[in-house]
Amino acid sequence: MKLYFNPRSRAVIAKWMLDECGAQYEIVPIDLEKKENKSPEFLKINPAGKLPALVDGDTRLFECAAICLYLAEKFPDAQLAPKPGDKDWGRYLSLMVYSSSQLEPSMGDHLMKLPTGPARGWTDFETVLNVIEGELGQGPYLFGERFTAADVMVGSMFIWMRIFGGQTGRPALDAYIERLLARPKGMKLG
Ligand SMILES: N[C@@H](CCC(=O)N[C@@H](CS)C(=O)NCC(=O)O)C(=O)O
């Protein structure tokens, strides 16, 4: 597998997931300043011209959530996803999609001090915090003792927020972020 990567991009999320899976992979460095992500070769992998992208044989993937869903299935021994039929399966899929369709854009509005208007497809950030705090419950992870790809997707968003100086103001979420950062293979930013 080849991970198209820049250490100052969301590609660190895909790398975190690959490392949690124990995957063997090659890093292909992409210089965003030189716009290597807009080259014709790269656009054949991700037509949106964004990182991360992953190539696995004839399969090409883009979007962090898709990459994490794919890897969780490809490496079942890592046990990073509930299986179809498992009682947690539906909630797991919901949280994976929620992380990039609601959590991330709402967090973007919040950090840029933009109002979250109605009919935008996501809620205000206070509601997001309530949702994730509720889903986390007593933790330590979103599925109790079991760490999953949903923690990679949801947790990485909060780690980003902290890097950009954002605070959750929620002790339970702050403790969750600390737990994720303390994982030996946890997300590292360049
Ligand atoms: N929703 C996408 C977001 C990808 C994205 O915005 N990547 C940024 C890096 S963090 C990027 O490639 N920016 C460069 C550009 O847009 O030119 C995902 O989850 O993969």
Side-chain angles (χ1 to χ4, degrees):
M1 280 187 289
K2 286 184 182 179
L3 175 65
Y4 292 76
F5 183 81
N6 182 294
R8 316 201 80 177
S9 79
R10 288 169 176 84
V12 295
I13 301 171
K15 185 174 187 306
W16 180 13
M17 183 67 188
L18 282 158
D19 291 338
E20 294 281 359
C21 288
Q24 299 289 316
Y25 60 95
E26 179 190 333
I27 294 269
V28 181
I30 294 290
D31 189 329
L32 295 171
E33 279 169 21
K34 289 187 185 155
K35 298 205 183 311
E36 288 176 352
N37 54 316
K38 306 296 178 194
S39 71
E41 297 76 38
F42 186 79
L43 292 175
K44 282 185 199 148
I45 301 166
N46 182 357
K50 283 184 173 281
L51 293 177
L54 184 76
V55 171
D56 181 17
D58 291 337
T59 303
R60 64 184 174 92
L61 291 126
F62 50 93
E63 288 294 322
C64 288
I67 292 171
C68 289
L69 285 162
Y70 178 88
L71 291 172
E73 292 305 316
K74 187 178 167 84
F75 294 94
D77 290 351
Q79 300 196 4
L80 295 174
K83 293 198 173 10
D86 187 304
K87 68 172 175 46
D88 290 330
W89 185 41
R91 190 167 79 87
Y92 164 75
L93 292 174
S94 302
L95 286 170
M96 292 298 283
V97 174
Y98 181 86
S99 66
S100 57
S101 65
Q102 293 217 38
L103 196 172
E104 183 177 2
S106 175
M107 185 180 281
D109 284 351
H110 174 73
L111 288 172
M112 289 185 280
K113 301 191 184 348
L114 297 171
T116 297
R120 293 278 279 155
W122 56 88
T123 64
D124 62 275
F125 193 55
E126 213 44 35
T127 304
V128 166
L129 292 174
N130 290 340
V131 169
I132 298 301
E133 208 172 354
E135 293 295 321
L136 181 62
Q138 297 302 307
Y141 298 116
L142 288 163
F143 291 87
E145 293 295 331
R146 182 178 182 183
F147 176 84
T148 69
D151 294 299
V152 172
M153 281 306 300
V154 169
S156 58
M157 301 299 156
F158 285 107
I159 295 172
W160 274 112
M161 176 166 149
R162 191 179 275 196
I163 286 160
F164 286 111
Q167 297 297 323
T168 68
R170 308 278 180 113
L173 291 180
D174 289 343
Y176 173 56
I177 298 167
E178 292 298 335
R179 270 195 294 283
L180 295 173
L181 286 169
R183 289 183 67 80
K185 295 176 178 173
M187 186 167 114
K188 313 261 180 315
L189 284 169

